[in-house]
C-alpha cells in the first residue's frame, strides 16, 4: 500500500501505492500504513526530510466513499478524524521537513495530506486536478483543509474555492497558491529532494505554528474578513436557498476556526465535518452523484456477452439544433460523422455550429487550432444517403413527424450494413411505433439527447419492444464513447424524463389556475432547488409546443387519454386566446423586453385571479417536488424504469431535480415511504388523482421495504 525507501542522502520517500485499487484512497488500513511509514521516517535519525508522493498515476483521490457511507455513527467518525488530524499534526510538527510531490491528481483528503506538508510541488501535467471538492457530494474537508488552506492563502482566496469545490490544474493551482512550484513531471522527485536538502531545514515548521503568525490578507475580524463572510453568505443563500448544509458548515468552520488557535480550529472542523457526513443530503448526493452516476458511466447495466462496439463512422440525419449538436459531440470523440440534411445549405449550417463551438474552445485555450481543424474535418455535410454506407450507427434527428422519420429510416437502412444500429432522437414518439418503418426493428433504438447537446451530460436510451440486447449494449458503448451518462428505460409515451419533467411544469400551471400567485409559484420552484420555476420553464420549452404535443397525445390515445385538466385550460387560454406562446415570441407567462430582465406578465393576475388566502410556500414546494416522485413511482410500477438508480440519475442530470434530495426516488426515501404515501393521499384528496400513490409504493410502505439498502 505504501512504499518506503531512504536514499543515501537521508531523504525518505513515502509513496502511496495501493495495489488492489485503481486509485489511492484514504481508509482505515491505508491511513494506518501511511502513519507507520511517517513514524518510521520521523523516528529515524538518519532521515533528514520526507517526500510524500505516489507510484500510481494519481497522487491520492481522497476518502474511500464506500467506507464513509457505512461509518454511520458520530463516535467512530470522531475517532477516525481525530487520528487523522494527529497524524497530519505529527508530520508538520516533527521538526523534519516534508514535501508533497504531486505526480497526479490530489483531491479532498489527498490534498489535505499535501497541505500538511511544508511544501507542495506538482508535476506540470494538465490532466492533474488539485483541490477540495467535497462540497459537490454534500461533504466538507475533514482533514484540516478548512483550517490550513485559509491560513495559507487567505480567507477570501480559500473560501470560494472550497464552497464551489473547484478542481484546479497545476498552473491554476500555482496561481492560487494551492501549490508552491510546478515542474516537469520527470523533474518532480529531484525538485522535492533538492528543496528538502537546501531550504527544508529552515522551513520545517508551518506558518501557523510560528510565533507572530498572521492570516494572509487579514483574519475574520478585519473589515475584509467581515466583508468576505457577509457577501459570501448572501451569495451562498441566493444560490442554494439553504438546501445544502455542506457549504454552510464550511463557512462556519472557517469563521469559527480562524478566530481561535489552530488545534481548536481542527476540533471545530471535526464537529461540522461529522454533521455533514451524517446528513441525509450527503447520503443522497454520495449515492446518486458518486455511486449511481459512476455505475451508469461504467455501463454496469450493459447486457453481458455482447462484444464492445468500436465506432469509427456514424451518420446523423437532420442538421438542425439537435443533429448539429450530436454531430459535434461525436466528432469531438474522434468519430467520423456524415451529417445529412435535405439541402446542402442546411447541412453546412449544422456543421458551422461545430465550427463555432470549436472556435470557442480555441479561444479558451482548451484546444489548439490544428485540433480544431482535425475535429471539423471529421464532419462531412451531405444531402446524399449513399454517403451513410459503412456507418456503424445512424442517429435520426429530423422533424418530429412520423412520416418524415419513417422515410429517412427506410432510405438509411437501404445503404446501411445488416448489423448497423438505427437510433431515433425523438422526444415524444414511442420507439416501438417508429420501429415499424424499419426492416430490422431489433437494431432500432431511441437515443434521447438533451438540449444543448454539447453541455447536457445525459442520454436516455429507450428500448423498443423488439430492440435486441445486442443493440442496447452497442448503443451504450456509443454513449460512453462520447463521454455522456446513459440511463436505460423502456418504451412509453414521453419515456421517463419528458414524462416526469412534464409533471413539474403542469403542477405549476395547475397552481396558477387555482389562483396561487405566479411569483409564489416560480419562487417556490427555485426555493425547492429546481433550476428554474415552472412558469419560466413553460416559456422556455414553449407553451405552443406543449399545446401541440398535448393535442397529438390526445388524438393518439383517444379514450385512454388522461391529462391534467387545470394545466390544459391554462395552456389553451395562453396560446389560443392570448397569443402568448412563450419565450421565443417574447411573450409568455413572462414578458421578455429587448433590454433588461424578463418579468412576470402583469396581465396574469387578470386572467388567473389570485385567491385572497395564498398557500404556505412549503406547501407549494411540496406539491412541485412530490408530483415528480409520484410519477416516477408510476414509471417504476409500469416498468418504464427498471432501476431506481436510473430514475435518480436521470432526474438530476436530465432536468436538474435537486441533488440534495438525491433524485426523484431518493426523495421518497428521504421523506420515508410511509409518510410519503400518507402525504400523497392527502394531496390526492385535495388536488387530484395525479398525487394518488401507485400500488407499488403502498405495498412497499406496508411491507417496510426500501428502494435502497442504505
Ligand atoms: P430542427 O427543426 O432544429 O431540425 C430538424 C432538421 O431536420 C432540419 O434541419 C430539417 O431540415 C431536417 N430534416 C427534415 N426532414 C428531413 C429529411 N427528410 N431528411 C433529412 N433532414 C431532414 O429540430 P430539432 O430541435 O433539432 O429536433 C430534431 C429531433 O430531435 C425531433 O425529433 C425532436 O423531437 C428531437 N428532440 C428535440 C429536442 C429539443 O430540445 N429541441 C430535445 C430532444 C429531442
Amino acid at each position: 500500500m505504501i512504499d518506503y525507501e531512504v536514499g543515501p542522502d537521508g531523504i525518505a520517500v513515502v509513496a502511496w501505492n495501493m495495489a488492489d485499487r485503481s486509485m489511492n484512497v484514504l481508509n482505515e488500513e491505508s491511513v494506518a500504513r501511511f502513519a507507520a511509514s511517517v513514524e518510521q521516517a520521523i523516528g529515524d535519525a538518519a532521515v533528514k526530510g520526507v517526500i510524500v508522493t505516489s507510484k500510481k498515476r494519481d497522487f491520492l483521490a481522497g476518502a474511500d466513499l464506500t467506507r464513509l457511507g457505512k461509518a454511520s455513527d458520530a463516535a467512530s467518525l470522531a475517532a477516525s478524524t481525530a487520528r487523522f488530524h494527529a497524524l497530519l499534526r505529527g508530520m508538520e510538527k516533527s521538526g523534519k521537513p516534508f514535501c508533497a510531490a504531486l505526480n497526479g491528481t490530489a483531491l479532498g483528503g489527498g490534498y489535505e495530506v499535501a497541505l500538511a506538508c511544508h511544501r507542495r510541488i506538482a508535476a506540470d501535467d494538465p490532466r492533474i486536478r488539485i483541490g477540495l471538492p467535497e462540497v459537490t457530494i454534500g461533504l466538507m474537508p475533514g482533514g484540516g483543509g478548512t483550517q490550513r488552506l485559509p491560513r495559507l492563502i487567505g480567507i477570501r482566496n480559500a473560501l470560494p474555492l472550497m464552497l464551489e469545490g473547484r478542481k484546479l490544474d497545476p498552473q491554476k493551482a500555482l496561481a492560487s497558491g494551492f501549490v508552491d512550484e510546478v515542474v516537469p513531471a520527470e523533474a518532480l522527485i529531484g525538485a522535492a529532494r533538492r528543496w528538502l536538502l537546501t531550504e527544508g531545514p529552515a522551513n520545517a515548521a508551518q506558518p501557523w505554528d510560528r510565533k507572530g503568525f498572521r492570516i494572509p490578507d487579514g483574519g475574520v475580524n478585519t473589515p475584509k474578513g467581515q466583508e468576505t463572510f457577509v457577501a459570501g453568505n448572501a451569495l451562498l443563500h441566493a444560490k442554494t436557498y439553504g438546501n445544502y448544509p455542506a457549504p454552510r458548515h464550511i463557512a462556519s468552520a472557517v469563521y469559527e476556526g480562524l478566530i481561535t488557535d489552530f488545534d481548536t480550529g481542527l476540533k471545530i472542523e471535526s464537529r461540522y465535518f461529522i454533521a455533514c457526513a451524517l446528513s441525509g443530503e450527503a447520503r443522497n448526493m454520495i449515492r446518486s452523484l458518486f455511486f449511481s452516476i459512476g455505475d451508469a458511466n461504467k455501463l454496469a447495466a450493459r447486457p453481458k456477452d455482447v462484444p464492445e462496439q468500436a465506432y469509427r463512422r456514424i451518420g446523423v440525419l437532420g442538421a438542425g439544433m439537435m443533429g448539429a449538436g450530436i454531430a459535434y459531440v461525436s466528432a469531438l470523440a474522434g468519430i467520423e460523422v456524415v451529417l445529412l440534411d435535405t439541402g446542402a445549405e442546411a447541412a453546412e449550417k449544422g456543421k458551422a455550429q461545430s465550427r463555432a463551438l470549436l472556435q470557442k474552445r480555441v479561444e479558451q485555450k482548451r484546444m489548439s487550432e490544428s485540433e480544431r481543424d482535425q475535429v471539423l474535418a471529421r464532419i462531412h455535410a451531405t444531402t446524399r444517403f449513399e454517403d451513410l454506407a459503412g456507418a456503424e450507427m445512424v442517429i435520426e434527428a429530423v422533424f418530429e413527424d412520423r412520416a418524415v422519420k419513417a422515410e429517412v429510416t427506410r432510405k438509411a437502412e437501404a445503404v446501411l450494413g445488416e448489423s448497423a444500429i438505427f437510433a431515433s432522437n425523438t422526444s415524444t414518439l414511442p420507439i416501438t411505433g417508429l420501429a415499424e418503418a424499419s426492416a430490422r426493428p431489433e437494431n432500432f433504438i431511441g437515443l434521447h439527447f438533451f438540449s444543448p447537446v454539447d453541455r447536457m451530460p445525459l442520454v436516455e436510451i429507450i428500448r423498443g419492444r423488439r430492440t435486441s440486447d445486442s443493440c442496447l449494449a452497442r448503443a451504450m458503448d456509443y454513449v460512453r464513447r462520447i463521454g455522456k451518462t446513459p440511463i436505460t428505460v423502456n418504451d412509453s409515451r414521453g419515456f421517463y424524463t419528458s414524462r416526469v419533467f412534464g409533471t413539474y411544469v403542469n403542477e405549476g400551471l395547475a397552481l396558477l389556475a387555482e389562483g396561487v400567485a405566479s411569483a409564489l409559484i416560480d419562487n417556490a420552484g427555485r426555493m425547492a432547488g429546481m433550476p428554474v420555476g415552472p412558469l419560466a420553464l413553460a416559456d422556455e420549452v414553449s407553451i405552443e409546443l406543449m399545446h401541440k404535443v398535448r393535442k397529438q397525445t390526445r388524438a393518439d390515445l383517444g379514450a385512454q387519454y388522461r391529462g391534467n385538466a387545470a394545466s390544459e385550460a391554462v395552456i389553451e387560454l395562453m396560446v389560443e386566446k392570448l397569443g402568448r406562446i412563450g419565450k421565443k415570441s417574447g411573450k409568455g407567462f413572462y414578458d421578455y423586453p429587448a433590454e433588461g430582465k424578463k418579468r412576470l406578465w402583469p396581465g396574469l393576475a387578470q386572467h388567473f385571479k389570485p385567491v385572497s388566502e395564498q398557500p404556505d410556500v412549503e406547501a407549494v414546494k411540496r406539491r412541485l417536488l412530490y408530483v415528480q416522485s409520484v410519477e416516477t413511482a408510476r414509471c417504476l410500477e409500469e416498468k418504464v424504469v427498471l432501476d431506481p438508480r436510473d430514475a435518480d440519475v436521470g432526474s438530476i442530470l436530465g432536468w436538474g431535480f435537486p441533488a440534495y434530495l438525491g433524485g426523484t426516488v431518493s426523495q421518497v426515501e428521504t421523506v420515508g415511504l410511509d409518510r410519503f404515501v400518507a402525504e400523497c393521499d392527502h394531496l390526492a384528496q385535495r388536488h387530484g388523482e395525479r398525487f394518488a400513490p401507485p400500488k407499488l409504493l403502498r405495498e412497499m410502505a406496508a411491507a417496510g421495504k426500501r428502494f435502497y439498502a442504505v
Side-chain angles (χ1 to χ4, degrees):
M1 253 181 219
I2 309 286
D3 296 351
Y4 182 82
E5 200 183 325
V6 185
D9 56 358
I11 298 302
V13 180
V14 177
W16 283 78
N17 192 7
M18 290 174 84
D20 55 342
R21 297 283 194 141
S22 60
M23 279 197 268
N24 297 314
V25 288
L26 296 165
N27 61 30
E28 223 40 31
E29 299 93 75
S30 68
V31 170
R33 301 287 280 273
F34 177 62
S37 296
V38 166
E39 265 166 40
Q40 190 176 347
I42 294 174
D44 182 347
V47 170
K48 296 192 190 117
V50 185
I51 297 174
V52 180
T53 188
S54 142
K55 291 257 174 79
K56 295 182 90 89
R57 183 179 148 93
D58 287 310
F59 177 73
L60 188 46
D64 184 348
L65 291 172
T66 51
R67 305 283 179 87
L68 194 67
K70 289 180 190 117
S72 52
D73 71 289
S76 66
L77 275 172
S80 62
T81 309
R83 272 199 301 278
F84 194 50
H85 282 165
L87 161 65
L88 300 185
R89 279 309 264 156
M91 284 163 56
E92 54 187 13
K93 290 173 65 174
S94 68
K96 291 188 181 179
F98 277 72
C99 179
L102 306 179
N103 60 305
T105 287
L107 295 173
Y111 178 60
E112 289 178 302
V113 169
L115 274 174
C117 294
H118 303 98
R119 189 171 183 82
R120 285 152 292 282
I121 308 179
D124 193 7
D125 177 348
R127 158 192 83 75
I128 293 178
R129 291 291 175 272
I130 297 167
L132 296 172
E134 290 89 338
V135 72
T136 56
I137 45 168
L139 292 173
M140 63 176 269
T146 66
Q147 303 305 304
R148 288 191 178 88
L149 193 61
R151 283 176 169 89
L152 190 67
I153 63 172
I155 297 171
R156 182 171 287 198
N157 290 332
L159 193 56
L161 291 166
M162 289 192 283
L163 290 178
E164 289 164 27
R166 289 266 299 282
K167 303 179 194 170
L168 308 176
D169 64 34
Q171 291 300 339
K172 291 215 180 78
L174 181 65
S176 312
F178 272 49
V179 297
D180 305 297
E181 201 180 338
V182 174
V183 300
E186 61 281 6
L188 182 65
I189 298 296
R193 207 174 271 284
R194 214 164 26 255
W195 184 84
L196 287 169
L197 290 170
T198 54
E199 296 178 48
N203 289 288
Q206 296 284 29
W208 43 90
D209 287 324
R210 292 181 197 184
K211 264 219 166 79
F213 169 68
R214 285 179 170 275
I215 296 163
D217 268 359
V220 171
N221 284 322
T222 59
K224 206 169 173 188
Q226 287 296 309
E227 197 185 283
T228 303
F229 283 100
V230 171
N233 273 344
L235 284 175
L236 184 62
H237 199 80
K239 235 168 134 181
T240 64
Y241 292 93
N243 288 323
Y244 293 82
R248 214 169 54 232
H249 287 341
I250 290 173
S252 298
V254 173
Y255 191 101
E256 294 167 29
L258 269 81
I259 48 177
T260 180
D261 65 277
F262 187 82
D263 288 297
T264 310
L266 286 179
K267 289 193 187 120
I268 291 168
E269 180 192 86
S270 302
R271 284 211 301 274
Y272 283 114
F273 169 73
I274 292 165
C276 267
L278 297 180
S279 69
E281 290 83 356
R283 182 202 52 220
N284 286 338
M285 290 168 82
I286 292 173
R287 174 197 290 152
S288 295
L289 301 182
F290 188 79
F291 289 111
S292 299
I293 290 183
D295 288 346
N297 288 339
K298 277 183 251 155
L299 309 188
R302 184 185 186 277
K304 308 279 176 272
D305 306 326
V306 179
E308 189 180 332
Q309 169 80 56
Y311 285 95
R312 284 176 207 89
R313 184 180 169 87
I314 68 160
V316 176
L317 311 183
M321 185 171 81
M322 298 304 288
I326 296 167
Y328 169 74
V329 295
S330 305
L332 201 57
I335 305 172
E336 297 283 324
V337 180
V338 178
L339 179 60
L340 181 148
D341 208 299
T342 42
E345 205 179 307
E348 285 298 339
K349 194 171 154 221
K351 180 170 174 177
Q353 190 176 314
S354 287
R355 190 173 294 120
L357 287 169
L358 291 165
Q359 189 53 33
K360 224 190 256 166
R361 280 188 169 236
V362 171
E363 278 155 24
Q364 293 164 344
K365 301 210 178 346
R366 291 166 59 206
M367 184 176 255
S368 69
E369 290 186 359
S370 79
E371 282 168 325
R372 172 200 61 197
D373 296 343
Q374 279 169 26
V375 175
L376 212 53
R378 284 188 206 119
I379 303 178
H380 312 282
T382 185
T383 57
R384 297 158 19 117
F385 278 83
E386 302 91 272
D387 293 348
L388 297 171
E392 289 102 13
M393 171 191 276
V394 163
I395 303 171
E396 160 286 292
V398 299
F399 295 140
E400 189 75 341
D401 178 303
R402 278 199 190 87
V404 180
K405 290 195 188 291
E407 184 195 326
V408 299
T409 306
R410 280 191 289 269
K411 282 186 173 164
E413 284 185 354
V415 292
L416 287 174
E418 268 306 305
S419 64
I421 294 175
F422 191 94
S424 173
N425 177 45
T426 175
S427 35
T428 53
L429 304 169
I431 292 300
T432 308
L434 292 180
E436 282 166 16
S438 167
R440 22 186 201 257
E442 67 282 2
N443 284 347
F444 196 102
I445 198 160
L447 282 184
H448 182 201
F449 286 79
F450 295 76
S451 171
V453 179
D454 59 302
R455 291 216 304 271
M456 295 296 282
L458 187 76
V459 177
E460 182 178 29
I461 302 184
I462 302 114
R463 192 171 187 164
R465 200 170 305 139
R466 296 175 63 185
T467 307
S468 69
D469 271 0
S470 153
C471 176
L472 172 63
R474 293 185 293 139
M476 290 172 106
D477 293 338
Y478 166 74
V479 177
R480 175 158 67 178
R481 173 76 187 273
I482 58 168
K484 302 219 180 272
T485 301
I487 61 166
T488 305
V489 307
N490 279 324
D491 202 10
S492 125
R493 197 161 282 274
F495 320 124
Y496 163 64
T497 55
S498 308
R499 173 169 164 184
V500 176
F501 160 74
T503 63
Y504 169 64
V505 178
N506 283 332
E507 198 57 27
L509 304 192
L511 282 157
L512 188 68
E514 285 171 32
V516 177
S518 50
L520 174 54
I521 299 170
D522 267 15
N523 283 335
R526 286 203 310 275
M527 287 168 74
M530 297 292 293
V532 185
L535 303 181
L537 256 183
D539 276 2
E540 304 243 343
V541 172
S542 146
I543 312 174
E544 189 183 36
L545 180 68
M546 290 169 64
H547 192 42
K548 260 195 208 149
V549 170
R550 200 144 322 186
K551 276 203 283 199
Q552 178 70 51
T553 310
R554 199 180 300 157
D556 286 354
L557 293 185
Q560 283 178 324
Y561 178 72
R562 255 176 221 83
N564 177 328
S567 91
E568 273 172 39
V570 175
I571 291 175
E572 242 170 68
L573 179 70
M574 291 293 285
V575 175
E576 290 180 4
K577 302 243 166 56
L578 302 172
R580 301 190 66 94
I581 61 170
K583 186 176 173 183
K584 65 177 176 191
S585 72
K587 290 191 302 187
F589 293 107
Y590 286 75
D591 276 328
Y592 298 85
E595 275 172 30
K597 279 186 169 175
K598 71 176 178 197
R599 56 184 195 128
L600 279 159
W601 177 45
L604 280 177
Q606 196 185 323
H607 297 279
F608 309 102
K609 206 170 155 18
V611 290
S612 56
E613 204 162 310
Q614 290 289 310
D616 184 69
V617 65
E618 289 303 322
V620 181
K621 279 164 65 179
R622 194 171 314 130
R623 275 176 67 175
L624 291 172
L625 289 176
Y626 279 25
V627 74
Q628 301 179 61
S629 289
V630 182
E631 193 67 22
T632 298
R634 278 185 207 114
C635 289
L636 284 163
E637 181 172 272
E638 293 166 20
K639 305 222 173 336
V640 171
V641 180
L642 298 175
D643 189 329
R645 292 176 298 177
D646 278 341
D648 275 342
V649 168
S651 65
I652 294 174
L653 297 186
W655 70 92
F657 190 86
Y660 74 94
L661 291 167
T664 46
V665 174
S666 286
Q667 171 175 241
V668 179
E669 302 246 304
T670 305
V671 174
L673 258 86
D674 272 345
R675 202 177 121 202
F676 187 81
V677 166
E679 290 192 40
C680 283
D681 277 333
H682 182 70
L683 287 169
Q685 270 169 16
R686 296 194 53 178
H687 305 293
E689 274 299 292
R690 62 186 180 279
F691 282 102
K695 209 164 119 215
L696 170 83
L697 276 191
R698 255 185 228 295
E699 286 176 358
M700 283 181 69
K705 285 195 185 149
R706 301 171 53 93
F707 290 101
Y708 291 103
V710 279

